[in-house]
Amino acid sequence: MHAQPYTTFTTGCALKFSPSPSNTQTNTAIPVGVELVDSSNNQVQTWFMGPVTLTQTAGPSAALSITGPTYSSGVANFSVTGKALGSYTVQAASGTLTPINGAFTIYDGMLNCNPNPPFRFTDNNTNHVSDPSQSGYAAGSRGFWNKDGLACVPILYTFTNTILTDNTVHLAWDTSTQQLPAFTYTMTWKTEDVANPNNPTGNQDSSTYGWPVPKRPYVAWQASDGTVSTANFVPALTCMSPDLPAPYATLAADVGTADSQVSITVSTPQSVPSGYPTATLPTTASTSSSFPIVIGTERMKVIGVTAGPTSGQYTLTVVRGDDGLRSPAPHIAGVYVMSTPLPIDTDPSSSYYQKQVPMCVVEHGWTAAGIDPSNGIAQIRYWTTVFDIGDGFVTIR
């Protein structure tokens, strides 16, 4: 029994985290507190009866360091430090009370928005490949802007590079921050034999013998347990722009939700921090030559642009809710009107048909990679650059 004064537990009492375990990066301590509350969620007593324990129940084996508790103002305080990436669960228990569980994730590091470091990232492989011309290279950066144009907040991330084993990379980030970040990264894939006389039909184009059937990138942003084994890979689509999201303009007047097709007024040039990129607002559009904009998290399709009513202002005729995922939302004057490179999936067989996809390919190609020393066959090496605005996996097939 703890040496401090205590009150006998009453009916309806329960343990509660205060604070709960939170996402963090490796080798960084997080505070975890445990208190006793009644059925109204009020703290019951100044001190606990009996010891409070905190133990790891899920996650990489022996990867957590837990110290404590120390007792203060009715809270049993612990310090938790993770030594390995992954998802964890800790369990708090005391006496005959029902134990409680807290889940959290340990990431590899923290990313800010360009140009505020750290905004570049690469893998943490022991045999890291730093030359972009060599197989196994993977690196990227976070953009200047979130896709909704709201202020940037640093986020936790993990970038996993397994190109040399299974030709895959995965960028995961902490979605609990409610940020909508935009990333770009480049990968150089494993070499591929071409023009193999011993395999004339394998990965060859019969109409132009000696050339490989081109491989294309595949992407996934859905994985039931966050691993590549459950990722739903689909053929990657081409980006609509070579640029990450940036402001076209600012909204000159409030926009409601009532109409599916409305006119909105925007003002250019935008007021943006010095050195930050902006996008050039197209001055023409029609139903057959539309372009997308994003205000908040709503994507709209611009089908008309007219100048005015004052210098530097334009009136955009838009179709609301163009991404197939979100309904029209209200927007207040002064927010950014953003560009987006993300395409709409037009494949009727796709589960994302007529919806905006969160990843796209901005560059893809190959270069000669010399001779395969094992068989004397010429080789090529593919490389790919993607925009990722959705916690993605990338591979090549």
Side-chain angles (χ1 to χ4, degrees):
M1 186 175 296
H2 196 272
Q4 297 291 339
Y6 65 89
T7 299
T8 302
F9 293 144
T10 59
T11 302
C13 289
L15 295 175
K16 176 187 176 182
F17 283 119
S18 180
S20 300
S22 59
N23 296 341
T24 188
Q25 63 190 85
T26 54
N27 300 311
T28 301
I30 55 173
V32 177
V34 183
E35 64 179 356
L36 185 68
V37 296
D38 61 21
S39 57
S40 298
N41 204 34
N42 297 314
Q43 192 180 71
V44 170
Q45 58 184 46
T46 304
W47 297 99
F48 283 94
M49 179 180 70
V52 179
T53 60
L54 187 69
T55 56
Q56 177 183 341
T57 58
S61 178
L64 283 187
S65 172
I66 301 175
T67 60
T70 59
Y71 295 85
S72 176
S73 300
V75 179
N77 298 292
F78 298 86
S79 179
V80 178
T81 303
K83 304 173 185 177
L85 306 176
S87 298
Y88 293 82
T89 301
V90 291
Q91 185 177 90
S94 181
T96 60
L97 291 170
T98 301
I100 57 173
N101 297 299
F104 60 101
T105 301
I106 295 180
Y107 292 87
D108 197 34
M110 186 76 73
L111 282 178
N112 210 335
C113 278
N114 192 349
N116 302 304
F119 60 88
R120 293 188 175 91
F121 59 88
T122 187
D123 59 71
N124 62 357
N125 294 349
T126 302
N127 299 316
H128 170 69
V129 177
S130 58
D131 184 349
S133 70
Q134 297 302 307
S135 298
Y137 171 84
S141 63
R142 186 178 177 185
F144 283 81
W145 302 95
N146 287 329
K147 70 175 184 178
D148 56 2
L150 295 181
C152 176
V153 172
I155 56 171
L156 294 160
Y157 81 99
T158 297
F159 188 55
T160 305
N161 173 4
T162 54
I163 290 174
L164 295 179
T165 56
D166 62 7
N167 254 355
T168 304
V169 300
H170 178 208
L171 175 64
W173 53 278
D174 183 5
T175 58
S176 68
T177 62
Q178 303 302 308
Q179 289 287 287
L180 298 172
F183 308 95
T184 181
Y185 44 97
T186 298
M187 298 131 290
T188 307
W189 307 105
K190 291 193 292 185
T191 55
E192 306 277 346
D193 284 357
V194 295
N196 186 345
N198 299 318
N199 186 22
T201 60
N203 195 32
Q204 306 293 318
D205 182 344
S206 60
S207 65
T208 55
Y209 177 77
W211 287 88
V213 175
K215 287 194 169 184
R216 68 177 297 175
Y218 279 67
V219 295
W221 53 91
Q222 300 164 317
S224 61
D225 60 0
T227 67
V228 67
S229 63
T230 60
N232 179 27
F233 282 100
V234 296
L237 301 180
T238 304
C239 297
M240 300 176 65
S241 162
D243 302 309
L244 284 170
Y248 277 132
T250 53
L251 194 60
D254 293 353
V255 175
T257 61
D259 299 319
S260 61
Q261 182 173 313
V262 299
S263 295
I264 64 173
T265 306
V266 300
S267 298
T268 60
Q270 313 88 334
S271 175
V272 301
S274 176
Y276 279 57
T278 59
T280 301
L281 181 71
T283 56
T284 60
S286 65
T287 302
S288 60
S289 60
S290 60
F291 65 92
I293 59 173
V294 172
I295 305 178
T297 58
E298 182 187 352
R299 177 177 173 135
M300 307 178 190
K301 180 168 63 177
V302 180
I303 59 174
V305 181
T306 57
T310 62
S311 177
Q313 286 193 337
Y314 293 87
T315 299
L316 309 181
T317 302
V318 301
V319 177
R320 306 292 300 276
D322 184 47
D323 68 356
L325 296 171
R326 297 174 180 85
S327 301
H331 306 287
I332 61 172
V335 300
Y336 286 125
V337 178
M338 301 290 290
S339 68
T340 180
L342 298 177
I344 300 291
D345 193 336
T346 58
D347 180 1
S349 65
S350 170
S351 62
Y352 249 59
Y353 179 52
Q354 295 184 334
K355 297 181 177 65
Q356 175 182 278
V357 295
M359 301 180 67
C360 60
V361 176
V362 67
E363 292 183 5
H364 179 64
W366 59 266
T367 57
I371 301 297
D372 186 335
S374 66
N375 58 23
I377 303 299
Q379 294 185 308
I380 60 174
R381 183 179 285 116
Y382 285 95
W383 51 268
T384 305
T385 300
V386 298
F387 288 161
D388 183 351
I389 312 181
D391 190 13
F393 298 81
V394 187
T395 190
I396 187 171
R397 297 175 181 174

